Amino acid sequence: MSPRRGGPDFSEYTGARKRAAPIKSRPAFGRTFWGKAFVRVIEQIGDKGRVSRGRTFARTGKVLPLDIRPGRVTGEAWGTQLEPFTATLAVSTLDNTDIDDIITKLRRVPGSLASLVSGVVPDMLAAQLLPDGPGAFQFDCTCPDEGWPCKHAAAVAFLTAERIDTDPLQLLILRGVDLSDLIGGVEDETTIAVDVESWFGDSSLLPGLPRVEFRAAIDDLDVNALRASVAALGLDVAQQNVALAELRAIYRQLDS
């Protein structure tokens, strides 16, 4: 349709409407060991309907920003309202006993501290780091929904799991564990005291050597396997016994 002469031209507003670009699907929440465990707690203790809506709300990208601190995660949930709702997820922080247990486990497994420093949290720390039980999480939100949790707080929990998937050390921050304290605790156990006054140990008193009962090397061998080897030479039982006795005498000479 051509515009009327002398009238406004609306041709640029006619024709087929352009479709909006499709929204890219967000990766699943809980893709790693730690993220899956976190999501499992959310699904076990929360109202199923609101947890499901919270997962959907989290996928829309309407919770920004997400702030993770010891014992608390806070997110601003944006919807149709003029001002965002403030949703929080509270988790208890670990006490000194739990932290000592973590340090003990890291000491017992060589290389585990190095993995932790590089950003890989060993699965063996799950008992200390993962929240557990009905009271594991506490939810709160400024929205009028009195459900537990509301979809905004549930969304914060799912986004926390997503952050943990990307950076497992965020779980340490949430549980109030300082990585530098773990490093110091492990290193303190392996530190060797040095006497600077006797650098080369000239005045050191060494413990006496233990008295070791003599034991021929042949006694530490598998006699049946040794006899089978001797029998493979075609010797009968009597000859095998002679051969074993001679080997024992040779080993005794070597060990003396």
Side-chain angles (χ1 to χ4, degrees):
M1 185 181 207
S2 59
R4 289 186 297 174
R5 184 177 298 176
D9 183 6
F10 295 103
S11 60
E12 62 178 305
Y13 302 106
T14 61
R17 179 179 296 179
K18 294 182 179 180
R19 293 184 178 181
I23 300 175
K24 295 182 179 179
S25 61
R26 199 179 191 116
F29 301 111
R31 294 174 288 107
T32 65
F33 170 83
W34 295 103
K36 289 178 181 177
F38 205 84
V39 168
R40 189 160 52 247
V41 176
I42 302 170
E43 294 175 338
Q44 286 176 347
I45 67 176
D47 175 77
K48 295 187 181 300
R50 287 181 171 85
V51 166
S52 178
R53 290 194 290 274
R55 187 196 300 269
T56 302
F57 194 82
R59 291 184 184 278
T60 63
K62 295 180 180 178
V63 180
L64 291 171
L66 193 71
D67 184 29
I68 299 180
R69 300 191 180 188
R72 182 174 295 270
V73 184
T74 305
E76 300 294 325
W78 295 84
T80 57
Q81 73 279 5
L82 296 178
E83 295 294 332
F85 297 125
T86 300
T88 59
L89 164 68
V91 180
S92 62
T93 56
L94 301 187
D95 57 23
N96 291 334
T97 300
D98 290 323
I99 294 176
D100 288 342
D101 289 342
I102 292 176
I103 292 175
T104 299
K105 288 184 177 181
L106 293 175
R107 287 172 180 168
R108 291 175 178 173
V109 181
S112 58
L113 179 61
S115 296
L116 189 61
V117 172
S118 68
V120 179
V121 181
D123 296 356
M124 64 179 180
L125 302 182
Q128 283 74 34
L129 293 180
L130 288 178
D132 187 27
F137 293 157
Q138 295 297 322
F139 300 100
D140 193 18
C141 186
T142 57
C143 76
D145 186 359
E146 297 181 354
W148 197 90
C150 69
K151 68 176 182 180
H152 310 111
V156 167
F158 280 112
L159 292 174
T160 303
E162 181 182 61
R163 187 74 65 83
I164 292 172
D165 276 333
T166 305
D167 179 12
L169 292 182
Q170 293 294 317
L171 184 56
L172 268 68
I173 295 175
L174 180 58
R175 301 309 304 272
V177 180
D178 191 328
L179 182 57
S180 61
D181 289 342
L182 299 182
I183 296 173
V186 174
E187 290 181 345
D188 286 345
E189 178 72 8
T190 57
T191 301
I192 301 176
V194 177
D195 184 1
V196 295
E197 300 297 331
S198 179
W199 184 261
F200 295 101
D202 297 336
S203 59
S204 299
L205 296 177
L206 300 177
L209 296 176
R211 295 180 60 85
V212 180
E213 182 180 355
F214 173 79
R215 182 180 176 87
I218 194 173
D219 294 334
D220 294 326
L221 300 177
D222 185 344
V223 177
N224 292 328
L226 184 59
R227 181 177 290 275
S229 300
V230 174
L233 299 176
L235 304 179
D236 58 26
V237 176
Q239 292 172 325
Q240 293 173 23
N241 292 335
V242 172
L244 292 177
E246 291 177 350
L247 284 174
R248 184 179 299 277
I250 293 173
Y251 275 116
R252 185 174 292 275
Q253 289 295 325
L254 293 174
D255 290 338
S256 61

